[in-house]
Amino acid sequence: MSKWFDETLERIKKATGTRTQVQLAEILNIRQSSISDAKRRSSIPAEWYIKLYKTHGLNPEWLSDGVEPVYMKPGKGKISADNILSETTAQYGQVPSRGRVVPVSSMAGEESGSEQWAPQQVGELNIPETFYRPSMVVLKVEGSSMEPAIRRNAFAGVDETQKRLMAGDIYAVHVPYQGVVIRRVFFDPENSRFILRPEDPQHPELYIAVQDQNKLVVGRVVWVMQEV
């Protein structure tokens, strides 16, 4: 029973990107002592499976017994258990970095004609473990509006917890009925709005009202991977 529990807990931690009990408790929205209790009993509470299905789309049967598919929600089934559970090594100079395979979403999202943006998987990417965070969505950059800083077909890691706009930083912002754009943000105090400015002046500036930032901002771009 202890071996089954350890394997199940390992699948949960790998799939959610957590390493410590503190991180796992935060993901599950429970007290850390609840994890210690589960370990002592060698039993995974049923509500954990329900929460992980609702928040991450994870298949309870895979978590419990390793039976694929990993995901039960549309758009996530392309990632195999082998990819999630494997750990690869990427070299940056002489420093080895553990790798993680993550889903990549299109900027158009699940439904381009919607007021709300939802990610739609179009591929996978192996990123250094240090790049990963549970609150991240990875976008495949479409278009040339941010060239030369961010080129077409680059991959942009967006932290969805960082929605508060800070002047000069780069954010992913949802434009209703169009999809997500990536722009550098500046504040326009005279009109109480934010300017979404492209790097390439051939592309237009966009604007969002101050009160709309929490609704429209997907998150801050925290890293970019692209060919040199």
Side-chain angles (χ1 to χ4, degrees), residues 30-206:
I30 58 176
R31 294 189 302 272
Q32 188 177 342
S33 60
S34 298
I35 299 176
S36 299
D37 291 341
K39 284 185 173 182
R40 187 164 49 252
R41 297 191 305 269
S42 291
S43 175
I44 301 292
E47 56 266 27
W48 290 18
Y49 296 124
I50 296 172
K51 285 181 180 179
L52 291 169
Y53 166 72
K54 289 182 176 179
T55 60
H56 291 70
L58 290 165
N59 179 4
E61 195 173 8
W62 177 74
L63 292 174
S64 176
D65 302 309
V67 178
E68 296 194 52
V70 176
Y71 295 102
M72 292 184 68
K73 288 189 176 180
K76 292 190 173 182
K78 295 180 181 178
I79 305 179
S80 69
D82 289 341
N83 280 338
I84 287 181
L85 298 176
S86 67
E87 301 247 347
T88 59
T89 301
Q91 295 288 340
Y92 282 76
Q94 299 299 316
V95 182
S97 174
R98 296 155 73 90
R100 178 183 292 267
V101 176
V102 296
V104 175
S105 299
S106 69
M107 295 178 71
E110 201 167 76
E111 295 184 27
S112 58
S114 172
E115 289 189 10
Q116 300 294 325
W117 184 84
Q120 181 180 42
Q121 183 179 336
V122 294
E124 300 170 355
L125 180 68
N126 192 342
I127 64 173
E129 185 72 32
T130 52
F131 281 25
Y132 178 79
R133 57 192 74 182
S135 57
M136 182 188 68
V137 60
V138 178
L139 298 175
K140 178 73 173 293
V141 177
E142 302 155 9
S144 58
S145 62
M146 292 301 291
E147 290 186 345
I150 304 177
R151 294 193 288 277
R152 185 193 299 269
N153 294 324
F155 298 98
V158 178
D159 189 336
E160 295 182 289
T161 65
Q162 299 187 39
K163 295 180 182 289
R164 184 177 179 182
L165 298 177
M166 303 293 290
D169 285 350
I170 298 175
Y171 291 83
V173 181
H174 177 223
V175 178
Y177 305 106
Q178 295 185 47
V180 167
V181 298
I182 293 177
R183 293 287 193 277
R184 195 177 297 277
V185 171
F186 297 93
F187 183 58
D188 177 6
E190 293 185 5
N191 297 293
S192 295
R193 65 183 182 181
F194 289 99
I195 304 171
L196 309 179
R197 186 167 295 162
E199 296 287 288
D200 185 344
Q202 296 185 42
H203 292 262
E205 291 183 345
L206 301 172

